[in-house]
Amino acid sequence: MKEEKPILRDKSMDNTLVLMTESYRFIRNRARELNSDIFQTRLLGQTTNCVVGEEVACVFYDETKFRRRRAVPKRIQKKLDWRKSHTDDG
């Protein structure tokens, strides 16, 4: 049986600005700092779970487990010109 470890928490009050600065590198950077592939942080004042790694990616892309339809509002997709990305199935 695999031993469950507690989820580590980033000590920062809120990381929204850091996320905007570091962009997609934010999660990987924090995971390295915490030496963990799962951790909690605060973004926009909300507790957020972040995960990294190949195993997690396989689960995330398994369409039987997640539905991304309407994950990002249309107005945001238009603004960012995201035609096909991680925002919608298909």
Side-chain angles (χ1 to χ4, degrees):
M1 182 186 253
K2 207 173 190 180
E3 181 184 334
E4 289 188 31
K5 298 181 219 175
I7 297 176
L8 298 177
R9 293 177 187 217
D10 182 30
K11 302 288 186 214
S12 302
M13 185 99 119
D14 189 278
N15 274 310
T16 304
L17 294 177
V18 179
L19 172 64
M20 292 172 64
T21 303
E22 293 181 11
S23 186
Y24 66 92
R25 294 180 297 272
F26 169 77
I27 294 175
R28 175 60 67 192
N29 291 345
R30 290 299 122 355
R32 283 186 183 138
E33 286 175 13
L34 296 168
N35 195 28
S36 177
D37 3 345
I38 183 169
F39 65 93
Q40 283 185 345
T41 190
R42 291 187 68 78
L43 299 172
L44 296 172
Q46 300 290 316
T47 300
T48 305
N49 294 317
C50 300
V51 292
V52 296
E54 184 178 343
E55 186 178 346
V56 171
C58 289
V59 172
F60 180 77
Y61 285 108
D62 182 343
E63 294 178 3
T64 65
K65 294 184 171 64
F66 287 93
R67 190 186 93 206
R68 292 181 296 276
R69 189 162 312 175
R70 292 184 230 113
V72 175
K74 290 284 185 200
R75 63 185 170 82
I76 302 296
Q77 290 181 33
K78 284 182 182 180
K79 188 171 189 165
L80 298 174
D81 196 26
W82 287 354
R83 289 186 184 88
K84 287 289 178 185
S85 65
H86 303 301
T87 62
D88 206 2
D89 293 326

